[in-house]
Each structure stands twice: as structure tokens, then as C-alpha cells.
Amino acid sequence: EVQLVESGGGLVQPGGSLRLSCTASGFQFSLYDMSWVRQAPGKGLEWISTINWRGAPTYDADSVNGRFTISRDNAKNTLYLQMRSLKTEDTAMYYCAKDWGSSRFQRGQGTQVTVSS
């Protein structure tokens, strides 16, 4: 059974930073491209970033390009999202995702990020 467990969310002031983690199990993590997606209140899922199974290349949405960095540690089956220069509009539930854009799409339970002064 695929399991994706996100952590690291919280309340942060505008301009602050957070690092999200996602621990994966139940599949061969090192062979899959992985993504982060988010969902703001009252909105649909928004793709943020994808990382190749090897760790490069990476792809970022325009909304986070230059502020967020996706990375992975295949030895630890862990996906990361380093978020900097956070804005109030980054407030959302953040999900680690496998097979984004596919009918096989799966995500974790999410971790809440709230950006507020």
C-alpha cells in the first residue's frame, strides 16, 4: 500500500521560510518522479513542483519559481520542499504526490501551511 506522510507545516509570517518533508513507503520511491501540490481554501488542487526520479531536472510553477525548491533523498525515501519568501497567498494544505497528472495519482494527508502576520 502506498503511503505518503507529509510534515513540517505551520504558521509563519510573510517573508518567512518553512521546509516540508514527505516520507514515502509501499513503492519503489527512487524510481518515481514526485511532486508537491497544494489546495487553498475554496480552490482546486494546484501543482507546485515536480522532481525527476534521479533528482534532476526539476520543474516549478511560475507562482513559486525562485522561492520554493523541491529536492529528494532516495536513500531515505523522502521528498522535501524548501519554501522561502512566503506570501499570504501561499496559505494552503500542501500534499506530496505520486503520479501527478495520471489516473494513478495519489497524495498524502497533507500538511497545513498558514502565512499570516
Side-chain angles (χ1 to χ4, degrees):
E1 178 188 1
V2 171
Q3 287 197 325
L4 301 168
V5 181
E6 301 92 338
S7 61
L11 173 64
V12 62
Q13 292 186 339
S17 299
L18 279 175
R19 188 195 196 200
L20 307 183
S21 299
C22 169
T23 302
S25 61
F27 66 103
Q28 199 156 357
F29 177 79
S30 61
L31 296 184
Y32 283 82
D33 295 355
M34 295 295 295
S35 301
W36 285 98
V37 299
R38 67 186 180 186
Q39 187 165 24
K43 298 188 177 181
L45 279 176
E46 176 190 11
W47 169 78
I48 298 172
S49 188
T50 296
I51 185 167
N52 178 271
W53 60 275
R54 295 178 179 177
T58 63
Y59 308 91
D60 302 313
D62 289 344
S63 59
V64 305
N65 192 28
R67 299 188 299 121
F68 292 9
T69 303
I70 189 172
S71 63
R72 66 192 297 160
D73 185 336
N74 284 344
K76 296 181 178 180
N77 284 2
T78 302
L79 181 71
Y80 302 101
L81 185 68
Q82 178 67 54
M83 305 187 294
R84 299 180 178 87
S85 301
L86 283 160
K87 305 175 181 180
T88 54
E89 53 263 44
D90 293 319
T91 294
M93 187 73 79
Y94 284 70
Y95 301 94
C96 168
K98 174 180 175 286
D99 290 321
W100 170 252
S102 160
S103 59
R104 299 181 302 277
F105 167 68
Q106 290 178 286
R107 59 176 175 172
Q109 85 291 346
T111 186
Q112 177 68 39
V113 172
T114 302
V115 185
S116 175
S117 55

